[in-house]
Amino acid sequence: MSRLDWIVLGASLLFVVLWGLHKGRGAKTGESYIGGGRDHQWWLVGLSIIATQTSAITFLSTPGQAYVDGMRFVQFYFGLPLAAVVLSITAIPLFHRLKASTAYEILEQRFDLKTRLLAAILFLIQRGLAVGLTIYAPALVLSVLLGWNLHANILLVGILVMIYTVTGGTKAVAWAHSSQMVIVSLGMILAGVMTAHRLPDHVSLGDALHVAGGLGRLNAIDTSFDPNNRYNLWSGLIGGFFLMLSYFGTDQSQVQRYLAGSSVTQSRLGLLLNGLIKVPMQFLILLLGALVFVFYQFHTPPVFFNPGPVKQVMAGPDAAAYRNLEAEFAQAREQQSAKAEAYVLTRHGTDATAIAAAKADLQQAHAQSEALRGQAVKLIQKANPGTNPSDTNYIFLTYVLSSLPAGLIGLVLAAVFSGSMSSMSGEISALGATTVVDLWRRLRGGDPHREVWVNRLATFAWGCFAMAFAEYAARLGSLIEAVNILGSLFYGTILGIFLVAFYVKRVRGGNAFWAALVAEVVVLLCFAFTPISFLWYNAIGCILVVLFALLFQALAPALPDAEVPVPTT
Amino acid sequence: MIEPHHEPPPPLMGTWPKLYAAVLGALLLCIILLRLFSRMFS
């Protein structure tokens, strides 16, 4: 990294922290600390929602996903606009009318205390674990590729976030989010423009897209219905809808963002803005990955982008075999580059048969180099069976560090840090709020005069927990993947509780509670013993809670009624 | 559609149902465009 990169990175991070501190002044009560003064305009709500959802790994992993697997990942977000509309109609007016500080408060009004506590504790478990990974995963990538100290990286992100989040609460988080989104957008747009610019002179953007498409990297829509296929139109629309409904409707890290809106209108517009922007935004990030893929059609990439496991192979008995593979791979990629050149030049002509033949040649050359890459992965896994065979998270940053000019590298790294900070701040702020409102205030009675300081203490404690878990995550190995899909293991159940609360008015508290417990056990059994893709757990968990609640209600209708009337929208 | 009576109309599109329809229409348009994009360059 050049001095200019350090200046850009340092100045960006300093600006985010100072901006968050400056705009977050004035929280005098627990309510204003958690609710952000409830005066946010729609654009601030929208940016804060997007920033919380967008972690650093989104920017590191998504372009790599397009490089390895094409653009079908975009389908994951198709459920989001549907969920935004449903929540705008139902949940947002209800939360505002009840002046709720957390999503779980209304469950006690509808059911009972134990159901509220169950949902709040499920949230604290899954979000508490996930927030550690939010800062661990990008810190690991940066430490491997840049040689930075992993622990120092985690500490830096954690401390920067806590400075403004603990001090200013939700308002500071939202304003810091707005500055982070500017940095992130600027970094990704400039990286995309520069990538298109760095293609060979005779390769136009249209040529590049034809090369990417010819090699299966622009397959954005897959209409086949296969429950074991992670990303297709139906898993995105159905499974994604349930996931997004749960994430935006019942996850306090998101609910807190739109509850800071000054009115129902401002909260709704903020959420709908996210629904409108997210799919095109993910498409552009994936397109950037597809362009990086094309860039590497004309330049030789490493066989495996994560240098850590490669070093392990090189230190073992298979070093010679790996070196041979590297040489074969370089040769294969040279031939592939020649085929790509030939395909582009042939496309400039009008002979359809020649174009089809050149495309088939390129596809064959690509298949050969991919086969060599597969052999390299096998050697890597042989050297260390616990190694993650995917190098997706390392592709984009490797490209950035080796191919982008000074200054832009610093900006992209600032975007990565901003992503880490934006997610962590939204999450620890929500964890602190849930701890205070649903546990401390509800069970201990609370004290309005001390609440702002209790909130700060809880947010600080969750920040420390996140950093400690991030430090521990290095020892989790392959369990990290399980933690990553943890959200889907719990979201469906939490969503089911809320759906029963909103729409199935005859179900009473005890039945909803037990239905949620049984449904959660079934989801965990599905995770342990079936190959069902994780997106479907959201739908399964949710539907089971509703069905079990109805069943238990039918079997035990004599349970005491809830004392508080059912909330209506 | 459940609409609170006291809620003012959105600043765009005139009514909330029209705004929701616009968001869903944008999703449909995205899916169609992505399908065309995939086919055009495959």
Side-chain angles (χ1 to χ4, degrees):
Chain A
M1 271 178 66
S2 68
R3 185 176 294 177
L4 181 62
D5 291 319
W6 282 108
I7 291 171
V8 171
L9 175 61
S12 303
L13 298 186
L14 190 65
F15 173 70
V16 167
V17 173
L18 293 179
W19 183 245
L21 273 177
H22 171 67
K23 300 296 282 188
R25 291 166 302 156
K28 297 273 189 277
T29 64
E31 277 310 310
S32 63
Y33 184 89
I34 293 171
R38 296 190 194 255
D39 60 358
H40 295 181
Q41 294 298 296
W42 61 272
W43 58 270
L44 187 58
V45 172
L47 286 180
S48 195
I49 288 172
I50 297 168
T52 299
Q53 190 188 12
T54 309
S55 70
I57 213 68
T58 306
F59 295 109
L60 293 177
S61 174
T62 307
Q65 190 94 21
Y67 184 102
V68 171
D69 189 43
M71 298 183 78
R72 66 193 184 112
F73 179 58
V74 74
Q75 298 168 112
F76 179 80
Y77 294 93
F78 285 171
L80 202 162
L82 297 170
V85 167
V86 170
L87 292 169
S88 292
I89 295 169
T90 56
I92 288 179
L94 182 61
F95 284 138
H96 268 273
R97 191 161 60 246
L98 296 175
K99 297 193 188 312
S101 295
T102 72
Y104 317 110
E105 275 184 275
I106 63 165
L107 293 179
E108 184 172 1
Q109 297 190 42
R110 170 66 176 85
F111 297 127
D112 52 22
L113 176 61
K114 67 175 181 292
T115 311
R116 171 185 180 176
L117 291 179
L118 174 67
I121 288 168
L122 283 179
F123 166 72
L124 291 175
I125 292 171
Q126 61 102 346
R127 186 54 61 195
L129 293 177
V131 69
L133 288 183
T134 299
I135 51 174
Y136 167 74
L140 178 65
V141 176
L142 291 172
S143 72
V144 169
L145 292 181
L146 287 161
W148 293 354
N149 183 290
L150 177 69
H151 312 293
N153 203 328
I154 291 169
L155 267 179
L156 175 70
V157 170
I159 289 170
L160 288 178
V161 166
M162 285 207 288
I163 288 173
Y164 63 86
T165 307
V166 171
T167 310
T170 296
K171 191 182 276 290
V173 168
W175 282 102
H177 277 160
S178 68
S179 61
Q180 285 156 344
M181 283 312 293
V182 170
I183 293 169
V184 160
S185 305
L186 206 58
M188 299 311 273
I189 289 169
L190 289 179
V193 169
M194 190 53 73
T195 305
H197 180 70
R198 285 187 62 81
L199 292 171
D201 288 341
H202 59 284
V203 179
S204 67
L205 188 60
D207 293 330
L209 292 176
H210 276 285
V211 169
L215 294 175
R217 294 306 185 271
L218 300 184
N219 54 339
I221 305 287
D222 177 359
T223 53
S224 63
F225 187 89
D226 176 4
N228 300 327
N229 177 358
R230 191 169 283 187
Y231 307 119
N232 59 46
L233 182 63
W234 311 112
S235 71
L237 281 173
I238 302 169
F241 170 67
F242 280 96
L243 174 65
M244 299 301 174
L245 204 56
S246 189
Y247 179 53
F248 289 101
T250 72
D251 189 308
Q252 178 62 17
S253 67
Q254 284 296 350
V255 173
Q256 197 168 334
R257 308 280 81 76
Y258 58 73
L259 285 184
S262 61
S263 65
V264 172
T265 298
Q266 300 301 321
S267 296
R268 276 176 169 168
L269 291 175
L271 189 58
L272 292 173
L273 174 72
N274 184 40
L276 270 178
I277 283 181
K278 194 67 186 176
V279 172
M281 179 179 148
Q282 289 300 129
F283 168 74
L284 289 176
I285 298 173
L286 286 163
L287 189 62
L288 170 59
L291 288 177
V292 171
F293 174 79
V294 176
F295 174 86
Y296 278 123
Q297 295 308 303
F298 302 98
H299 302 81
T300 302
V303 184
F304 195 70
F305 281 89
N306 181 355
V310 174
K311 279 182 195 158
Q312 286 179 321
V313 180
M314 289 305 196
D318 290 321
Y322 195 85
R323 270 193 212 98
N324 286 340
L325 260 180
E326 280 185 323
E328 276 184 67
F329 182 77
Q331 206 173 7
R333 288 303 297 227
E334 262 182 45
Q335 287 171 5
Q336 189 175 332
S337 292
K339 304 281 185 195
E341 293 272 359
Y343 177 52
V344 168
L345 292 175
T346 315
R347 277 205 72 263
H348 291 169
T350 53
D351 186 346
T353 315
I355 292 173
K359 185 174 162 184
D361 281 351
L362 174 60
Q363 287 171 335
Q364 197 181 4
H366 179 65
Q368 281 171 359
S369 59
E370 282 300 289
L372 290 170
R373 208 168 114 83
Q375 288 178 35
V377 171
K378 278 184 188 160
L379 280 183
I380 284 167
Q381 288 198 295
K382 189 179 158 200
N384 184 355
T387 304
N388 186 349
S390 167
D391 56 356
T392 308
N393 291 346
Y394 295 83
I395 293 171
F396 180 58
L397 205 54
T398 300
Y399 162 75
V400 167
L401 294 173
S402 62
S403 306
L404 292 189
L408 190 49
I409 294 176
L411 187 61
V412 172
L413 288 176
V416 171
F417 272 96
S418 292
S420 242
M421 291 165 68
S422 65
S423 288
M424 183 186 172
S425 61
E427 288 168 350
I428 64 169
S429 161
L431 288 163
T434 304
T435 306
V436 170
V437 174
D438 295 300
L439 302 181
W440 184 78
R441 188 195 289 172
R442 179 62 186 81
L443 301 177
R444 297 282 305 274
D447 174 356
H449 302 294
R450 284 196 301 154
E451 204 167 75
V452 71
W453 283 103
V454 176
N455 263 301
R456 286 188 174 127
L457 187 65
T459 308
F460 177 78
W462 277 109
C464 292
F465 175 81
M467 288 194 289
F469 187 76
E471 291 284 342
Y472 181 69
R475 299 180 205 169
L476 283 175
S478 58
L479 272 181
I480 285 176
E481 198 181 347
V483 178
N484 263 332
I485 58 174
L486 201 67
S488 290
L489 295 180
F490 293 112
Y491 273 150
T493 303
I494 299 177
L495 176 63
I497 296 173
F498 275 85
L499 286 187
V500 171
F502 286 176
Y503 303 113
V504 192
K505 295 179 181 177
R506 63 189 147 134
V507 172
R508 304 302 174 197
N511 292 325
F513 175 80
W514 291 111
L517 277 188
V518 176
E520 188 54 52
V521 170
V522 175
V523 170
L524 291 174
L525 290 173
C526 283
F527 171 64
F529 298 110
T530 73
I532 296 171
S533 173
F534 75 93
L535 267 180
W536 292 100
Y537 299 152
N538 300 287
I540 293 169
C542 177
I543 292 166
L544 285 180
V545 171
V546 176
L547 291 179
F548 282 132
L550 286 170
L551 178 68
F552 295 163
Q553 186 65 36
L555 293 175
L559 282 174
D561 286 359
E563 289 173 6
V564 178
V566 174
T568 53
T569 46
Chain B
M1 293 284 195
I2 305 159
E3 191 75 13
H5 296 296
H6 60 278
E7 190 59 28
L12 295 167
M13 310 297 293
T15 65
W16 286 106
K18 280 186 186 168
L19 185 59
Y20 299 144
V23 172
L24 298 180
L27 170 65
L28 188 62
L29 186 66
C30 277
I31 293 173
I32 293 168
L33 288 176
L34 285 171
R35 181 77 169 160
L36 287 173
F37 176 80
S38 303
R39 287 202 169 177
M40 191 184 296
F41 294 107
S42 66

